[in-house]
Structures are given as C-alpha cells and as structure tokens.
Amino acid sequence: MNESLIKVGLRQKAVYVPSFPAESTTAAPAADTVLLVANLAKLGYATAEPLRQALANTTSAFQARLLAVLREVTGTEKNWTPLVKGWDKPTGEGPLDHLVTWLTNVFQGKGTRLPCGHLIPPNTFSLERYNGCPFCGTPFEQAPIEHTGQGSKLKELGLWTDIEVAGYLRDLLESKTALDATQQDSLQRLLAVLPLPADVVIAMKETRLAVIDAYVQLGQPDKARAFFTSPTDILRYLWFKKTGFLQLVEPKTIIRKQQRNGAHVYAPLDRSAQAKMQATADLKLKYSRPEAAMVADWLNALPQTPAQLCEIMHPKRGMWVRFIRALRLAEYSKKAGRAKLRETLDLFYNQTYEVWQGRVNHFRLRVDAPQTFALLQQRPGLFARSLFANMIWFGAEPAVAAFAEVIDQVPARLVFTLNMYADTYFIKDGKRAVKPLGGASKQIPTNHLLDMYDERELEAMQAAVASLCLLAMERRFAAQPTTHRTIYIDPALYKIPVAIGDRSETVQDLPAALMGTRFPVEGDSVRLFMQWGVGLPAQHLDMDLSCTVSYVGSTESCSFSQLVATGCKHSGDIQSIPNQVGTAEYIGLDLPALQQAQAQYVTFTSNAYSYGALSPNLVVGWMSSQHPMRISSSGVAYDPSCVQHQVRITKSLSKGLVFGVLDVAQREIVWLEMSFQGQLVQNLNVRGVQTLLRKLESKLSIGQLLAIKARAQNLQMVETAEADEVYSTTWAMNTAAVTQLLVD
C-alpha cells in the first residue's frame, strides 16, 4: 500500500484502494471491516457504498495501515494538551500575578518550585489548574484525546481507484492556473509513484518544475530538457531547488524578510543581525561539476537566439550573474558543441542587446500610443497585465480597441482576472489588496491618475472591460462543439470562487477548499486550534494563537496577553514545546455572546512570537458542530470529527498568518490566507483583511462561469441532476479539473 496515494486521495474526499489479485490475498473478516468503518466514523468520516464494498475485499493488514494513515493525517497521535485545565472557565490570572511571580524569582522568595525552576508564590496562580508553568509557559503533562465522534456531520469518503488516480494526475498537469501548495504537494507525491502520461500537455510553467525535478531525481536530465522553453524556466528550477519557492523571489527579499523575522519587541532578544547573516550564508550558491554541465546543456539547447536569450534574462540580471559564476558557465561554454552558450554569455556581459520592455517604456513616456500598443500586441499576456494602467495613461477607447485585437490570444485566466478586478481598480481613494513575491499581504492606494477622470468615465471603463472580457469568453465557449442540450449547476457552486490568482502557501491535508470558500456554522460555538512542534526536540518555541473581534469603530483581541475577551476564551500561552510530540492552544468563540455585543467579524490569526517565521508543520484550523463540544479534564479540546477546516504551514517567510474570518451576522466562516508581519496580533491591519474579503467577493464563482458557458452554448439550465452536463460540488472538489473550463 502506498501511503502517499491515500493522503492525496483524502484531500479529494476519497480513499485509494488498490486492485488486489483475488487469488493472492485473503479478504479481512467482515467484523474487521465493520470495525474499520466505525473507527472512521469516530474520526468524522462516513464511507460511501462503493468504498465499503471495496474495503470488504481488502486484507486486514491493508485496513490496519489505512486506519493508521487516517489517524496520522487527522492528528490523533499528536499532543493536544493545552496549558490550562478546564480553560473554558477563566483562571482569573492577571498582570499583577506575573509581576509578583517575577519579583519572587528575582529575590528568591517563598513559593512552589516547579520542574522548570520557577517559583510560584502563594495567592497568585492556582497550580492545580495548569498542565505546566503558568509563568514561563513550559508544559509538564501530556494527555490523550478523550472525546471523539462529536461532530454533527460526517464527511463522506468515496472510492479512489487506479483510474481516478491517473485521471487526477493528468488534471494536475493540465491545470490552466498555477497549482497551490496542496496541489503541488499532491503532484510531487503522485510523480514519485506513477509514470508521466505520454501525451499530456503541461499548461503552467510552475507545474513543469515538479516534472523536471522528478526526471532529475531519476538521473534523466535529457528528458527534463524538453520542458524548458526559456532561460527563466531554468532559473526558476534552480531557485526552486535552492529555496523551495516556486516563484522567483529575489534574494534581497528573502534576506530582508528573515531579518525582520529575527527582530523582537524585547531588545535583548533581537536577532535581526544574526538572521540577516544566516540568510545571506544560506543563499550562497555551490554546484558540482555534473550539475554545472547539466545546466550548460539546458541553456545551450534552448530554441531562442542568443540576443533573445539575453533579453529574457535581463529582468533578473542580478540573479543570473550569481548563477553564471556559481555554475562556472564561462568555463563550460568553451566545451565543444556549446557555441550558442558562449555567444549568449558574451552578449550578456557586454549588454549589447535590446530589451523589449525598454522600448515600451520609451514610447509610453512619450505618449506615443500607436507604437506602444504595437509593441504590447506582440506579447498579449503582458498587454493584459498592463491594460488598466494603459487605459488611464492613454485613455480607455484606444487602449481597449488595441487590446480587443489580441484578446483571443490571451490565456483565459488573465481574461477572467481582468473582469474580476476591474471593479476594485477604477475606484478613487480606495485600497487594493496585493501580495508581493515573498512579502506579506498589504494594502496599496489606487492609481493616483484616476483623479484625472470623473466617476462617470471610470464607470464606463469598468463596463468596457467587463463587456469585452465576457464577450471574449462567450465567443470561446460558443466555438466549442457540443451535442448537449441541458445543464445542471449545483447552487452551492455559486459560492465557490474559481481558483484564479490565489497561490496558497499552506497545505490542506484534509479535504481541500478554495480560498474564499464559506463554511456555515450550525452550532453556537466555534473552537480555534493550533498545534506545533511535532518532531522537534524540547525547546523554547513560542507560537501564538489569537483572534481579533471587530465592531463598528473598534476592535478587541483575545491572545496570550488577554485570555478572556467578549465571546472569546483562550487556553493559555505555551512558550516552550515538549520533546517530539508538540503542543497546542485553543480559543473558544461564543456566537450568541458575539451577536449580543454586535460584533461584525472575528479574524483568526497565528503568530510566531519567537525568533524566526512560523514553525514548519504548524497546524491551524477550527472546529464546529451542531452539538456542544466537550473539553476533557486535562483541557484537551481537539476532536477530529468536529474539524471543519485546517491547514499546515510548510515553508514560509511569514511572521503572522490570518487563516479565517467569522462573519458573525451570517454565521459563516470564510477560509482565506493572508500573511502579515509582526509578533503580535495587534500588528494585524484589520482593514487589510476587509480589503481582501472584498477582493474575494469580487472573484468569479464556478457557478457564474458555468452560467456563461450555458448562455454561450445555448444550454438549458435545469434544477435536477438529470441533465446532459452535471456539475456538482463533488466535481468541483478537483479544482485542477475545474480549470479546464478556462478555454484558451
């Protein structure tokens, strides 16, 4: 049994069951299968009938291993013990208790000596309420999960066979949008055990990196060479192997982020200078001779001319200079058969080549619209990305007219992106949510040139972009031949956004959801959780779980510094982790109390208070159930059957992360991912979260996209699933397959 296939299948609400030869295996007893189904129910999963039939034909060893994998994924083997026992009842601790305890330890007064060495004076902390030291946050006790199966809704798991696995691999490879971190992880797992389909066409450059890396790992760099179309592809792969980032995050950006992550609000603990030195050392390049020869052959085999290669390399000239030196390409270019590489390096160092973007800027600054648009039409993708700015610079009519001539050559994802973001771009005195490569999410002011136009003209610009983009997409759908007459669109699809423009950096090990997906809250409580430190030795590693309650004109936080807030209760601040098993923090949210206080939103956040970024493999999420969720006597409040959504940090430069927003009035939780800089929840700009929410609300939903398809192909929409084309929420789970609707 391959565990990777089971983990990938679980993200698609399915369980992979391989085909066992009937003559070589003995099926498990029926009682074992019934017990497996019951154990899955305790974890919050129901089994569909095809899956139950498939499991009945599997061996006892397979079933035991399957259950072990599911327990690993759901985290039942982790340590979920918080600092405070019965944390739903406040301990009453305050700043004065911490001050008195600090003075007692400084002057060695009377008190109870704890294993961590601290003295706890009488009449301060009630030690019987704590699983560790209330002063330094070091845990001493561990307890198992006691309550399971409390979830009011079971998540149904379907059957995944070899055919579905192969189809999902193809969907990932053919995805027309960039894969998020979860999909990238799934792709790498699948490529490790499955062969690459022979006739697959890989649409995205970032997706090719996983395929290229798979061939390199197999010692077949010649096969990887076919997937490189430009020097940027090679640079992207080299940087991915060095840093783990799929995008070309500049070295200076990484160093600056690591330096900021090393800063501390308490000056003696500031490690920013050391962090900068360490980051600089980590980014030093060093390659063996076989690796250098491999890259030299890749560059030499590219189809462009030396001048074209230099022009493509120019925007990342600083990075290329470092790689050329580290790979000793000047030396390898002198080898026989690499004359093209030698000529390219000569042009690159002497800078005797012309840059296309420089010509565009030259004519644009001279307000020469015909020459500027003629150049932009040569590269429709770049024209699409600069359309809004050119509309303001040259006027809407000539810009839209020039773009209309090449819109059919623009990838569909860019066409839809233009349509979605036109509403937020042409607004005076507004803010836009952006996330620079390697940076934290931030708000930026709108283009100051918008002040040159009145509101009527800006509304006309929005309308022009929307009508042009929708017309182009309807034309693409209409060009597709079809014999179908009816279509069914699940109403839930109108609330699920199309995965365009969102590059999630967190991995979802449980059934995955798109950023912007709304989860209804059926009960009166929501429980946030955070678990970190698994696999690490005992050490000081302070991660903080917190939330911000937003009212009209004010905010309130629940965090380590304020364990009780309106409708919120915190389980205590853990600052050190035990050996290997990790530790946990919780926050309980009381919806009736929040509604009575007229709260608007509750923002869920996680911060790295310790030196550095968020800890790898840190897990955050929330639990929700129609039934009350119990807390054990030791304070353990985790129940996998109640988990509504959770994400896992992999590699991050972020100091803080927003992972959800509760809309109190609507009783819905919006899953979003927004990084921010700062050790404390108070560093979060709540307006930035609201700006991101507006951006997500403006995104095209899957239902709206299907409605455009239906209109263009004259399909009649019906209200039952008995139609020629059926689009359900199960189909939408495979977001890579959904992108096939983006017709190019």
Side-chain angles (χ1 to χ4, degrees):
M1 181 187 71
N2 191 288
E3 296 182 6
S4 290
L5 295 180
I6 292 181
K7 292 178 179 179
V8 173
L10 188 59
R11 295 168 181 173
Q12 300 300 310
K13 290 187 177 179
V15 172
Y16 170 70
V17 179
S19 301
F20 290 104
E23 66 277 3
S24 63
T25 58
T26 302
D32 287 0
T33 305
V34 172
L35 182 60
L36 173 64
V37 172
N39 284 325
L40 292 180
K42 289 183 179 180
L43 298 177
Y45 295 104
T47 52
E49 182 59 29
L51 176 58
R52 287 196 295 272
Q53 293 178 1
L55 290 175
N57 296 321
T58 59
T59 63
S60 297
F62 174 85
Q63 293 186 5
R65 192 63 196 138
L66 170 62
L67 182 59
V69 172
L70 287 171
R71 284 174 173 166
E72 176 192 346
V73 171
T74 53
T76 57
E77 305 302 321
K78 297 178 180 179
N79 175 37
W80 291 94
T81 310
L83 184 65
V84 178
K85 300 175 182 178
W87 53 268
D88 55 327
K89 297 179 180 179
T91 60
E93 67 178 73
L96 181 60
D97 298 314
H98 286 268
L99 176 61
V100 172
T101 303
W102 177 74
L103 292 172
T104 301
N105 282 271
V106 170
F107 297 104
Q108 291 299 298
K110 295 181 179 180
T112 303
R113 179 77 65 178
L114 298 183
C116 60
H118 287 121
L119 284 169
I120 305 300
N123 302 319
T124 53
F125 300 100
S126 301
L127 292 179
E128 69 276 3
R129 293 289 310 277
Y130 293 87
N131 292 309
C133 176
F135 181 64
C136 70
T138 300
F140 305 142
E141 302 177 15
Q142 299 176 25
I145 295 175
E146 294 185 18
H147 303 303
T148 58
Q150 302 176 98
S152 53
K153 280 190 175 182
L154 295 178
K155 298 175 278 290
E156 187 176 73
L157 295 175
L159 173 64
W160 237 35
T161 63
D162 292 325
I163 296 176
E164 280 82 14
V165 172
Y168 183 60
L169 173 59
R170 178 178 291 274
D171 289 336
L172 289 176
L173 293 170
E174 294 179 344
S175 174
K176 295 185 179 180
T177 60
L179 302 180
D180 59 25
T182 304
Q183 293 171 319
Q184 276 287 346
D185 182 77
S186 297
L187 178 59
Q188 291 170 7
R189 289 176 179 270
L190 293 178
L191 288 175
V193 296
L194 297 178
L196 183 70
D199 57 342
V200 70
V201 178
I202 302 177
M204 297 300 297
K205 294 180 179 179
E206 294 174 16
T207 307
R208 295 176 197 160
L209 294 182
V211 180
I212 292 168
D213 191 44
Y215 278 128
V216 173
Q217 295 296 330
L218 292 173
Q220 300 174 348
D222 291 339
K223 290 186 178 180
R225 183 189 304 171
F227 294 95
F228 292 115
T229 59
S230 74
T232 305
D233 294 343
I234 298 175
L235 182 64
R236 191 189 301 271
Y237 173 72
L238 294 173
W239 201 234
F240 163 69
K241 292 299 291 182
K242 181 64 181 177
T243 65
F245 297 121
L246 292 168
Q247 295 175 285
L248 289 172
V249 184
E250 293 278 357
K252 61 182 180 181
T253 301
I254 297 176
I255 294 172
R256 185 168 59 249
K257 283 289 293 183
Q258 296 288 26
Q259 182 180 7
R260 289 178 180 175
N261 290 342
H264 203 283
V265 292
Y266 182 48
L269 297 180
D270 190 288
R271 299 290 184 272
S272 56
Q274 295 91 321
K276 179 179 180 181
M277 293 175 60
Q278 184 62 48
T280 303
D282 291 342
L283 292 178
K284 288 184 178 179
L285 304 174
K286 186 176 182 180
Y287 294 97
S288 65
R289 300 192 72 83
E291 290 173 329
M294 177 181 68
V295 176
D297 288 334
W298 286 346
L299 284 167
N300 194 70
L302 290 173
Q304 293 89 353
T305 65
Q308 291 172 334
L309 293 175
C310 290
E311 181 189 353
I312 296 171
M313 294 162 65
H314 183 80
K316 299 295 180 183
R317 183 178 179 84
M319 294 182 68
W320 270 114
V321 168
R322 295 183 64 216
F323 276 103
I324 290 171
R325 291 173 179 171
L327 291 162
R328 302 179 295 283
L329 293 182
E331 173 189 343
Y332 283 91
S333 67
K334 298 176 182 178
K335 303 290 184 180
R338 295 182 181 142
K340 182 178 179 180
L341 175 59
R342 184 164 58 251
E343 184 180 353
T344 301
L345 294 179
D346 181 66
L347 288 175
F348 186 73
Y349 272 108
N350 290 306
Q351 300 190 51
T352 54
Y353 54 88
E354 189 175 39
V355 179
W356 176 86
Q357 186 62 52
R359 295 170 59 202
V360 172
N361 294 341
H362 171 80
F363 291 116
R364 190 171 185 272
L365 290 174
R366 284 157 179 75
V367 200
D368 189 337
Q371 291 289 349
T372 303
F373 292 144
L375 287 170
L376 289 172
Q377 286 173 338
Q378 297 174 9
R379 303 186 181 182
L382 292 175
F383 197 169
R385 291 181 175 90
S386 62
L387 176 63
F388 294 164
N390 283 313
M391 289 174 64
I392 297 174
W393 187 262
F394 293 107
E397 186 175 346
V400 171
F403 182 66
E405 297 179 17
V406 296
I407 192 172
D408 290 334
Q409 304 172 40
V410 176
R413 66 180 185 278
L414 291 182
V415 176
F416 279 116
T417 300
L418 291 174
N419 181 46
M420 289 188 295
Y421 295 154
D423 291 342
T424 58
Y425 188 92
F426 297 101
I427 298 177
K428 291 183 180 181
D429 302 322
K431 297 285 185 179
R432 291 190 294 138
V434 298
K435 185 179 183 301
L437 289 182
S441 299
K442 61 179 67 176
Q443 294 185 94
I444 62 171
T446 53
N447 195 322
H448 67 279
L449 294 180
L450 290 173
D451 294 333
M452 298 168 52
Y453 300 89
D454 58 34
E455 294 296 336
R456 182 182 56 80
E457 291 173 316
L458 294 177
E459 290 175 1
M461 289 183 182
Q462 295 179 23
V465 173
S467 60
L468 177 63
C469 294
L470 292 177
L471 178 62
M473 289 313 303
E474 288 184 4
R475 194 162 59 230
R476 297 187 189 193
F477 280 126
Q480 287 187 310
T482 180
T483 58
H484 296 161
R485 293 291 178 266
T486 58
I487 184 174
Y488 169 73
I489 305 173
D490 192 315
L493 298 183
Y494 286 92
K495 292 186 177 181
I496 302 178
V498 180
I500 300 178
D502 298 323
R503 300 172 186 264
S504 174
E505 297 177 354
T506 57
V507 172
Q508 304 173 52
D509 292 314
L510 299 181
L514 288 172
M515 187 156 64
T517 300
R518 292 177 173 267
F519 296 86
V521 178
E522 297 183 350
D524 287 334
S525 65
V526 173
R527 185 174 297 164
L528 313 184
F529 62 85
M530 177 179 70
Q531 210 282 350
W532 77 101
V534 172
L536 297 176
Q539 60 182 291
H540 175 79
L541 188 64
D542 190 1
M543 302 290 123
D544 292 324
L545 178 68
S546 51
C547 67
T548 301
V549 184
S550 299
Y551 305 93
V552 177
S554 65
T555 61
E556 183 181 11
S557 298
C558 178
S559 64
F560 72 91
S561 61
Q562 185 175 347
L563 299 180
V564 178
T566 304
C568 308
K569 295 176 182 177
H570 197 289
S571 66
D573 180 30
I574 293 181
Q575 303 173 37
S576 299
I577 59 172
N579 191 44
Q580 300 299 320
V581 296
T583 190
E585 290 184 5
Y586 305 93
I587 293 179
L589 304 179
D590 186 343
L591 263 71
L594 290 168
Q595 290 175 327
Q596 185 176 1
Q598 298 183 339
Q600 292 183 314
Y601 298 100
V602 182
T603 306
F604 314 155
T605 56
S606 175
N607 294 79
Y609 189 81
S610 294
Y611 157 80
L614 289 168
S615 175
N617 291 326
L618 176 146
V619 174
V620 290
W622 65 84
M623 293 180 281
S624 176
S625 175
Q626 185 178 358
H627 312 306
M629 296 177 287
R630 291 179 290 174
I631 300 174
S632 69
S633 58
S634 60
V636 174
Y638 179 74
D639 181 352
S641 68
C642 297
V643 174
Q644 199 168 33
H645 193 62
Q646 74 174 40
V647 296
R648 174 168 55 88
I649 303 296
T650 51
K651 184 177 181 62
S652 175
L653 292 174
S654 301
K655 194 76 173 172
L657 174 72
V658 175
F659 60 91
V661 175
L662 168 64
D663 187 329
V664 178
Q666 298 296 324
R667 299 176 69 90
E668 288 182 332
I669 299 175
V670 183
W671 145 237
L672 58 84
E673 178 183 310
M674 174 182 163
S675 59
F676 65 97
Q677 190 66 29
Q679 286 180 268
L680 308 173
V681 65
Q682 287 80 6
N683 297 125
L684 172 67
N685 184 346
V686 178
R687 291 185 178 179
V689 178
Q690 296 171 351
T691 302
L692 181 57
L693 283 173
R694 288 196 296 271
K695 178 181 177 181
L696 292 174
E697 290 172 357
S698 70
K699 289 176 69 68
L700 183 78
S701 70
I702 296 176
Q704 291 170 329
L705 176 58
L706 290 169
I708 295 173
K709 169 182 166 67
R711 185 167 60 249
Q713 297 181 341
N714 295 318
L715 299 175
Q716 179 185 357
M717 287 191 281
V718 297
E719 297 182 356
T720 63
E722 298 177 356
D724 296 332
E725 295 185 22
V726 177
Y727 298 97
S728 63
T729 53
T730 303
W731 164 81
M733 280 294 300
N734 185 355
T735 56
V738 173
T739 64
Q740 298 306 311
L741 293 173
L742 304 177
V743 184
D744 290 330

